[in-house]
Amino acid sequence: MSRARVARRIATAAAYGGGGISLLGGAAVGVLLAEVSLAKRTVGGSDDVPPRADGRYGSAFSHRTDEVPLRLGFLGDSTAAGQGVHRARETPGALLASGLAAVAERPVTLVNVANPGAQSNDLARQVALLLDVGAPPPDVCVIMIGANDVTHRMPPAKSVRLLSDAVRRLREAGSEVIVGTCPDLGSVEPVYQPLRWLARRMSRQLAAAQTIGVVGLGGRSVSLGDLLGAEFEAHPREMFGPDNYHPSAEGYATAAMAMLPTLCASLGLWPEADERPDAQRGEGFLPVAQAAVEAASEGGTEVVAAMHPVSGPRGRWALLKHRRRQRLPHGAEPTASQHSSA
């Protein structure tokens, strides 16, 4: 069965409430569990509380505009929370808030409700926190989720359905939504074969199915293969933190650089010329399942629904983009007086 067909079946099962298909046979699951047990003894872990980065960024732009600050919501698991670093300014939320403020030339208020260890079944609670009636909904939300769904063997259709529910609620509230799809767990050190191959396969299949669900609801996806992908595999000492699992400050910056153009484009803040597909960069319109599979195989790739809905024998079409990375500005860590709980 092709990877695109598997992704379509998972996404379809999610949409109609089915259990989906099993990605592994019984024997493979037995091998996987044995390898997971070995990996848990060799891969580190961290119980450190991620630094709190909520607050206002880009305050230097306040005097240039009388517009209210943009609101950026962050949801997901430990990678969204920034576990593995010790300074607020090194977390992905702070990095993207600083980058968005610099591009928009407007202050940005970051509200991060991500929860280390979270699976997709925690997203409903996180969305409720963001959509508190006492505060306006975020202008744009970033969700980073999926790794714990794979390691805890959540059925992929259930995982995609829970994510889709969260995206739908945020979109109905008026927020743009960017989803950083499940990272490539096959690159975590030290993870050995056959677990490495199985983890990579499961991660990419979930990432592709997530993309199909997100794009169908008007959101955008960015493949986070870069988060635990080729660059991390090539430079593990620099990209991974001390626990050998979560990214280092440099690793988070690499992921944030990949997501910043998509974040800005969702708010109409990116140059229009870059919104047109560039064939030389391998960009173009594809059936959404094919685009999702290609994105899952190459970190930093964006998938967004075609501007004018087009459907064919293989379903809806989407735009696949390999955006040029934007160097992140140096953002200032919020002071205690700037921290916000709303």
Side-chain angles (χ1 to χ4, degrees):
M1 187 183 300
S2 71
R3 288 180 294 171
R5 187 177 178 188
V6 169
R8 281 199 303 270
R9 289 187 62 181
I10 294 171
T12 300
Y16 291 98
I21 59 175
S22 174
L23 300 184
L24 298 171
V29 169
V31 173
L32 176 60
L33 293 178
E35 290 291 335
V36 166
S37 179
L38 174 62
K40 284 181 177 178
R41 295 198 296 269
T42 53
V43 173
S46 173
D47 296 323
D48 293 342
V49 177
R52 187 181 177 194
D54 295 50
R56 183 168 296 184
Y57 292 78
S59 295
F61 299 110
S62 297
H63 69 282
R64 300 186 186 182
T65 177
D66 57 0
E67 294 182 286
V68 298
L70 291 169
R71 286 176 59 84
L72 169 61
F74 241 77
L75 310 87
D77 54 24
S78 56
T79 53
Q83 190 156 11
V85 296
H86 301 289
R87 297 178 178 86
R89 65 175 179 266
E90 296 172 337
T91 63
L95 291 166
L96 285 173
S98 296
L100 178 59
V103 173
E105 296 187 344
R106 181 176 168 185
V108 172
T109 298
L110 170 67
V111 184
N112 194 330
V113 296
N115 182 31
Q119 300 176 51
S120 292
N121 55 13
D122 191 48
L123 288 176
R125 182 191 65 84
Q126 295 182 29
V127 169
L129 289 175
L130 275 183
L131 299 183
D132 187 305
V133 293
D139 295 283
V140 60
C141 292
V142 173
I143 304 175
M144 300 168 70
I145 200 77
N148 294 320
D149 294 0
V150 173
T151 59
H152 288 77
R153 299 178 61 198
M154 178 182 288
K158 178 181 179 180
S159 175
V160 174
R161 183 167 63 252
L162 291 167
L163 172 61
S164 297
D165 289 343
V167 173
R168 183 180 295 106
R169 288 179 62 192
L170 292 170
R171 293 287 293 145
E172 289 174 348
S175 299
E176 299 294 334
V177 180
I178 314 299
V179 173
T181 55
C182 181
D184 183 356
L185 296 177
S187 299
V188 177
E189 280 202 343
V191 174
Y192 307 105
Q193 299 292 8
L195 177 59
R196 181 180 296 272
W197 179 85
L198 292 172
R200 175 160 291 152
R201 179 188 178 196
M202 294 169 71
S203 300
R204 291 184 176 182
Q205 287 181 337
L206 178 57
Q210 286 177 321
T211 290
I212 294 173
V214 169
V215 169
L217 293 168
R220 301 176 185 231
S221 74
V222 178
S223 167
L224 288 188
D226 268 357
L227 189 59
L228 295 175
E231 293 184 39
F232 279 66
E233 201 167 24
H235 307 286
R237 299 296 173 263
E238 293 81 13
M239 295 295 190
F240 283 108
D243 65 2
N244 294 324
Y245 185 84
H246 293 98
S248 64
E250 185 175 350
Y252 278 126
T254 299
M257 283 191 296
M259 298 186 74
L260 180 60
T262 300
L263 179 67
C264 295
S266 72
L267 296 172
L269 298 172
W270 209 243
E272 291 186 11
D274 196 49
E275 294 305 292
R276 294 189 290 270
D278 185 342
Q280 292 184 340
R281 297 207 302 258
E283 299 177 346
F285 293 95
L286 296 168
V288 65
Q290 184 179 341
V293 167
E294 291 196 18
S297 301
E298 184 174 351
T301 304
E302 175 189 338
V303 180
V304 60
M307 185 174 297
H308 302 290
V310 177
S311 296
R314 289 180 287 176
R316 293 172 60 89
W317 284 56
L319 174 60
L320 181 78
K321 288 193 66 66
H322 305 287
R323 292 188 182 273
R324 297 183 180 90
R325 294 185 185 179
Q326 179 75 8
R327 182 172 294 279
L328 294 164
H330 294 290
E333 185 173 357
T335 63
S337 63
Q338 291 173 304
H339 282 144
S340 169
S341 60

